[in-house]
Amino acid sequence: MKDFPEITNKLLAAKKEKGITFADLEKAVGRDEVWIASVIYRQASADKEEAQKILSALGLESDLLTEQLTEPPLKGSLDSSIPTDPLIYRFYEIMQVYGMPVKSVVHEKFGDGIMSAIDFTFDVEKVEDPKGDRVRMIMEGKFLPYKKW
Amino acid sequence: MKDFPEITNKLLAAKKEKGITFADLEKAVGRDEVWIASVIYRQASADKEEAQKILSALGLESDLLTEQLTEPPLKGSLDSSIPTDPLIYRFYEIMQVYGMPVKSVVHEKFGDGIMSAIDFTFDVEKVEDPKGDRVRMIMEGKFLPYKKW
Amino acid sequence: MKDFPEITNKLLAAKKEKGITFADLEKAVGRDEVWIASVIYRQASADKEEAQKILSALGLESDLLTEQLTEPPLKGSLDSSIPTDPLIYRFYEIMQVYGMPVKSVVHEKFGDGIMSAIDFTFDVEKVEDPKGDRVRMIMEGKFLPYKKW
Amino acid sequence: MKDFPEITNKLLAAKKEKGITFADLEKAVGRDEVWIASVIYRQASADKEEAQKILSALGLESDLLTEQLTEPPLKGSLDSSIPTDPLIYRFYEIMQVYGMPVKSVVHEKFGDGIMSAIDFTFDVEKVEDPKGDRVRMIMEGKFLPYKKW
Amino acid sequence: MKDFPEITNKLLAAKKEKGITFADLEKAVGRDEVWIASVIYRQASADKEEAQKILSALGLESDLLTEQLTEPPLKGSLDSSIPTDPLIYRFYEIMQVYGMPVKSVVHEKFGDGIMSAIDFTFDVEKVEDPKGDRVRMIMEGKFLPYKKW
Amino acid sequence: MKDFPEITNKLLAAKKEKGITFADLEKAVGRDEVWIASVIYRQASADKEEAQKILSALGLESDLLTEQLTEPPLKGSLDSSIPTDPLIYRFYEIMQVYGMPVKSVVHEKFGDGIMSAIDFTFDVEKVEDPKGDRVRMIMEGKFLPYKKW
Amino acid sequence: MKDFPEITNKLLAAKKEKGITFADLEKAVGRDEVWIASVIYRQASADKEEAQKILSALGLESDLLTEQLTEPPLKGSLDSSIPTDPLIYRFYEIMQVYGMPVKSVVHEKFGDGIMSAIDFTFDVEKVEDPKGDRVRMIMEGKFLPYKKW
Amino acid sequence: MKDFPEITNKLLAAKKEKGITFADLEKAVGRDEVWIASVIYRQASADKEEAQKILSALGLESDLLTEQLTEPPLKGSLDSSIPTDPLIYRFYEIMQVYGMPVKSVVHEKFGDGIMSAIDFTFDVEKVEDPKGDRVRMIMEGKFLPYKKW
Amino acid sequence: MKDFPEITNKLLAAKKEKGITFADLEKAVGRDEVWIASVIYRQASADKEEAQKILSALGLESDLLTEQLTEPPLKGSLDSSIPTDPLIYRFYEIMQVYGMPVKSVVHEKFGDGIMSAIDFTFDVEKVEDPKGDRVRMIMEGKFLPYKKW
Amino acid sequence: MKDFPEITNKLLAAKKEKGITFADLEKAVGRDEVWIASVIYRQASADKEEAQKILSALGLESDLLTEQLTEPPLKGSLDSSIPTDPLIYRFYEIMQVYGMPVKSVVHEKFGDGIMSAIDFTFDVEKVEDPKGDRVRMIMEGKFLPYKKW
């Protein structure tokens, strides 16, 4: 399995041992579970209070760990440039298949620019369906128009 | 600029010349604009009736074109393995940064499996916001649990 | 040799020392040997009972190991993007040579869509033949038609 | 769309225009439809008689085309090293996920060696299923044990 | 030499033939010369009036060309993922050598986030120096703090 | 997280523990903070005096460390050829989007040659702005005209 | 230097210490020296008796090592996809330069098919020559004609 | 199919039309058929007399073609860095599997150096065998010891 | 064969037809033959007078061609990132094998910095030797010390 | 920093500690400093006497180390296929920019063949120059004409 930072492994182990879900952490911290998972995988940085709440929920209060969770991380958590894990690969496939159509629709709706991946939120919801539950992923980012100068 | 199939260029040119938007096509065809854009970029295949509606809205009725839009295409519309266009690249960035956190949350919510990218829909919405409009992208796919045998 | 997860090495070593074959495990667990091998290589996740049966057959009963075998793994077990091991490479070659012809035949038989690699089974059989035994690999997956929206 | 050899495009166009399926060609030629599709995509070479039967079924009898279909082709029909088309990519995913488990099972059943991709057949079948039809792909190749010298 | 869009070649040829510099265009259009060059290379989109001013300065007034310059382009103008042209490669080298140090300094000054490459300007100045003139490149982008949710 | 040389980790840890900023080091050493960060990341080499000042500011005086900071390093601090960290990736994006336009402007202003990345300085400034602070990066390098021979 | 499996390093160290050549092993085992070297580099698997002879010649008799040498290995011993070692690279160069010509000659002599790399032997001989000794490498593999089905 | 130089296509077409084999050319030119195939694929350069003999045997005498066959070509005839054609790929596989063992044997027999791929010959022979004919490929190159200076 | 710019093909054809060598051009232009070859391959730019001398020596005087030879080109003349042509590959091999040793020696002799590839000359000489002539390549570039700031 | 073999690190550390330069080693061993650096980086192999002289100059006499320096190494000392260190990258740039021109000049002077990188020497000299010292690198290799057969 892939090498995650030591702190990630430590938090995930505590989370597993205590039987705490990301949804539990969402309630304890007051932030979305995807964002909290991102902090744990060291793809996002918490502020001091948020870090303490995460650690406290996991029974891992520590100044050192708090500090580590507040540091801006080096982002990008995948080993190879094209991911092999089927769940993650599907994002890559979506980009390959729907990238150009979505680009056209966005430009038509908004003009030349992009959806920010920084001023951005990502929610994951379960949509119950008798024919098989569905995963709904809602990505929302500020539209950034290209500046002219 | 990239080489799209001839039919894509023809349809986009007609669409531009006539000043028809994807939203107009959505009304004319009764399908979502992202899906229609995918048909035009030859990433999805329409049935005969849908193809005729698209072509008719663009003033391009033709048996040959109808046939071309109904054929299952060779999918994957990007030149290079990692896209350079900033709008499309952001999906790649999202996968790199949020791939692992989302994977964890999905497994916790659903078990081992994936979100289908085939039994799948993709909507793009404009969320008006005084601090700057936001792009909302809603991806929804059937959860496919890994089969055991 | 490649780095597999520690648990994989532990199980394979026990399997070897005890002289247990995958076919033996198939009988003990009531699941196909390829699927069991996938669990051992941490490419598939077992449920608790299945994990216990595998571990018990190998004389390795343990709560910790049971838990590890039930976790959804990060999948994709090969080091380099194009495998160098000749047995595994042949799949890559088959995809390169027969990919397009098979795509055409599947689309003709089923329409636009794919064979699922998730709702999917993979069997390996030995076909005895006086001119040299043959390997038969039977892959079967649900046909997933592209959804329109 | 990808560039296939001119003869491939010509044969596929004729096939489409005449409404002939690969299954029809299978009957006309007395060879499996996947193999025939491979000849058409110039991934396999026919003998003179087979080539004539294929061309005749498509209404394209010609000495030149016959000759072209009998020539050993330069094989490997995909543009990029990792395919982006979702149907074809699934083979790549199967190799990434099940490559090592299958390797272990084959070695246990047969010893050190490989499944030939040359002395090899590939069948595609439709398995009707009320919960959704299934694609069955049967690959069978001679087991080639490593020679010692 | 590399393939640029037809309109790029046409505009550069006219610019050369007329002996017009980017600095001249800067005066004619009232926009920075780097931005104008980006429009000409189809990496940025002008509005109608800007497009007309550029075309008029080059003696190429045309509705078709105006329209082409106002379309959001598919961006990323380099052939290979790592550029071979020495002038352009130096940016890559700067990123490789100074990327991490700059990341640290930015995070220290601004917190976790990035410099936008969309709400962004890029100026090129000549700094005269008796020991050899110097190229000054000033990149300025809005700081985008990572959003939490 | 990425593997930096041991000395980098040691200096960053001391810097963090003491709460010293790069701006503090700038004052202590009399060199720009970006350059000092480059020395710490082992992308640049200090002379003995500069090394001692850096180490002394961090409370890490040592002959061994001094020596290590004065050695010309093997440069290039990023793991993968195309960086995944969003802040660093933006340089790559800027090169992809603005590389050709900037090349044209530089050649027009200076003739055939390049901006040196060796006889080169890199400053990072914070530009306060009520609509959101801006990051200004000023790169300046000697213009090197191609020599003829 | 590259990472070989532990057993490879152990055997090569013993071979070196004892001053035993591959030619000596050839005599002791009754197999070609290239094949024996392949077993030692864990690219080929020996049977029990052969493994014991190799180990015994090296003074390393051991059941564990015997077992390790009889296991089908994960093959492909090079780090990077295109080798940098000049001796090994020459094979790559030969394939690049002579690949197509040899393909044509083989097809003309044998029809459509390949030279097996499994039912295959590889001999290395020294050809003494006053103008400089020559390396002769004789590769011989069964011709495998493509099967039709 | 791959793009070969125009002269290659012209010569191969003539060869096919006249039903001339490489073995025929070997007799006509007095050079080995693999070398002649290399000249035709523009991987090797002939002298004037050899070029004329090849062209004359194919009924294509021409000063222009003679000149083209005598020019040192840009070598390397394969599209992708790792070949997909199964016959040519086997060389790559042989290098991956037997590269290190052969390197060890060569160094033991000859010292540090390489087998030249320039002062080099490559023969292809058919070895008849009742169990299936075999392809023998004999590569012979001058041993080049590393020079010290 | 590779695609060079049209002007390169035109000049090389004229050079061949007239039987003019690079050494002849060296005399006619008063510049080194390697530099002149670089201009012809559009890797370097001449001034007007030099361009006219080159064109005049080749009997191709033309204002258009003169202009084309004076333009700063997009540099980097090789198709693939690692060259396959054996003569050009040897530079790559030299960099792989001798890169680190040379780096150490240069740093020891000059301090931290590089040899410029811009303020740079490249000479090729033939060294006659009874044991086989030798190619001498003399690269000389200004040492550029890293600037501190 | 990159991982070099243990012996390389040991020798470089001793060299540094004793303040011995490559030039000192050149005198002690009677071989060129670049070659000696290549032995230390394990890119070249010394004979026993040379190894002893190098080790003795560094105060590291040892039979084990002597043996290690005499072994033909696995060559190619760089991590990534395209080097990121600016000094080493310049060789890559030179190959990209001047590769084709030099190829043309060499073929014109010598015929079809290559400069050997094995029967090869590489010297680095400092050329003092009031406008800035220059690095001169002299590469000389035997011309190897392509053999015909």
Side-chain angles (χ1 to χ4, degrees), chain H residues 52-63:
Chain H
Q52 285 171 337
K53 281 184 186 162
I54 293 172
L55 291 168
S56 148
L58 298 170
L60 290 170
E61 294 86 347
S62 128
D63 282 1

Side-chain angles (χ1 to χ4, degrees), chain G residues 1, chain J residues 5 7-8 37-46 67-76:
Chain G
M1 204 167 293
Chain J
I7 190 176
T8 299
S38 303
V39 171
I40 291 175
Y41 278 99
R42 299 307 296 118
Q43 298 293 321
S45 48
E67 208 164 72
Q68 287 183 22
L69 290 183
T70 60
E71 237 172 83
L74 189 60
K75 300 177 185 78

Side-chain angles (χ1 to χ4, degrees), chain C residues 11 15-16 19 44 53 58 76-77 88 92 97-98 100 105 110 120-121 125 127 129 140 142 144 147 149:
Chain C
L11 270 64
K15 176 175 168 302
K16 177 153 213 179
K53 281 184 187 160
L58 298 171
S77 58
I88 300 177
Y92 187 81
V97 174
Y98 297 107
M100 277 308 301
V105 168
F110 292 86
F120 172 82
T121 62
E125 296 173 2
V127 183
D129 185 322
E140 190 185 302
K142 195 179 180 182
L144 304 178
K147 188 183 178 68
W149 70 98

Side-chain angles (χ1 to χ4, degrees), chain H residues 3-5 42 67-68 70-78 114 117-118 146-147 149, chain I residues 1-4 16-17 77-78 80 83-88 90 93 97-98 131 134:
Chain H
D3 286 344
F4 296 110
R42 299 308 296 119
E67 208 164 73
Q68 287 184 21
T70 60
E71 237 173 85
L74 189 61
K75 300 178 185 76
S77 57
L78 303 174
I114 67 159
I118 310 293
Y146 266 97
K147 186 180 181 71
W149 70 99
Chain I
M1 204 168 291
K2 218 184 142 287
D3 285 345
F4 296 110
K16 178 152 211 180
E17 199 189 25
S77 58
L78 302 176
S80 52
T84 56
D85 181 81
L87 185 145
I88 300 177
R90 294 310 181 267
E93 183 171 312
V97 175
Y98 297 106
K131 282 176 299 179
R134 299 181 75 78

Side-chain angles (χ1 to χ4, degrees), chain G residues 84-132:
Chain G
T84 56
D85 181 81
L87 185 144
I88 300 177
Y89 177 79
R90 295 310 181 267
F91 288 94
Y92 187 80
E93 182 171 313
I94 289 166
M95 173 194 89
Q96 276 285 349
V97 175
Y98 298 107
M100 278 307 302
V102 162
K103 179 179 164 70
S104 285
V105 168
V106 169
H107 288 330
E108 195 169 284
K109 277 185 168 17
F110 290 88
D112 199 358
I114 66 158
M115 175 182 76
S116 180
I118 309 295
D119 185 341
F120 172 82
T121 62
F122 192 136
D123 289 283
V124 175
E125 296 173 3
K126 186 175 196 163
V127 182
E128 309 215 336
D129 185 321
K131 283 175 299 179

Side-chain angles (χ1 to χ4, degrees), chain B residues 2 16 84-86 98 134, chain E residues 67 71 73-76 147:
Chain B
K2 217 185 142 290
K16 179 154 212 180
T84 57
D85 181 81
Y98 297 107
R134 299 181 75 77
Chain E
E67 208 164 74
E71 236 172 87
L74 187 62
K75 300 178 185 77
K147 188 182 178 68

